[in-house]
Amino acid sequence: GTSSISTCACLPHYQTADALHYRYHAAEDADELTVIDSPEVFQHRFITRVAVYQNKARAGSLDWKVACECRLSISAYSVSRSEDGRFMAIGGDNGMVGLCQMSYNNNDNGEPPSSSSGGGNTSSPTLTVIAYLRFGHTITTMCNSLRFGSFLGVERLYVASQDGVVA
């Protein structure tokens, strides 16, 4: 299949510069859009909802549906997905980065298992927070840019924080 980005969709998102991440998911023949929603305050802490929307319809359809979501205890500013789609990093306040894993049918390989009946995968993926990482020189720094990329043939997570640290 080929990817087609919808021309307009009304999805809830937080007004930050890096709050969206697009990926075409070939095994599902679906466009996937990861969105950071507005943080909420709960017991004096920020809780941010991260949702992955899928659009399996083609030709510019606006039929985006929530495939999975999770909540992180940070105020998020940036999101990035690994090249294979298995991992997601969400950069936030206090030098924190939440690391999530996306899986289909309890697989951790980011791809749905093949169906013996040929009907494809009908289950929803899951998104699980697996770790919190701290970056930056101070506890008040913001991790406002994240990218997965390859260095010496190994995929790595690169984080830029507001206090000038790139790790």
Side-chain angles (χ1 to χ4, degrees):
T2 60
S3 171
S4 64
I5 297 177
S6 300
T7 56
C8 178
C10 292
L11 303 175
H13 71 282
Y14 189 40
Q15 291 292 91
T16 60
D18 220 11
L20 303 172
H21 184 275
Y22 169 80
R23 175 177 182 259
Y24 174 69
H25 192 265
E28 289 279 300
D29 191 25
D31 295 316
E32 287 186 346
L33 188 63
T34 303
V35 177
I36 296 173
D37 205 351
S38 299
E40 304 166 355
V41 177
F42 179 73
Q43 296 181 348
H44 307 289
R45 293 181 14 208
F46 282 112
I47 305 294
T48 300
R49 176 182 171 261
V50 176
V52 176
Y53 290 85
Q54 283 186 339
N55 184 354
K56 294 185 180 185
R58 309 311 319 149
S61 167
L62 301 179
D63 190 27
W64 291 94
K65 293 184 176 21
V66 175
C68 59
E69 63 181 57
C70 70
R71 286 178 166 63
L72 292 94
S73 57
I74 58 176
S75 179
Y77 299 101
S78 182
V79 63
S80 185
R81 298 257 313 259
S82 61
E83 187 175 320
D84 64 6
R86 291 176 51 202
F87 297 100
M88 183 181 306
I90 297 95
D93 60 345
N94 298 330
M96 297 300 290
V97 172
L99 188 61
C100 299
Q101 183 173 12
M102 191 155 170
S103 57
Y104 292 82
N105 289 339
N106 297 324
N107 279 335
D108 65 357
N109 64 1
E111 300 294 332
S114 59
S115 171
S116 58
S117 64
N121 181 42
T122 59
S123 68
S124 294
T126 58
L127 186 61
T128 307
V129 180
I130 58 173
Y132 285 96
L133 312 169
R134 183 175 298 278
F135 293 89
H137 290 296
T138 66
I139 196 166
T140 59
T141 194
M142 174 180 23
C143 295
N144 54 0
S145 185
L146 304 164
R147 297 293 181 269
F148 283 91
S150 183
F151 181 72
L152 299 175
V154 177
E155 188 173 29
R156 302 175 191 276
L157 173 64
Y158 297 94
V159 179
S161 64
Q162 201 168 32
D163 63 0
V165 173
V166 177

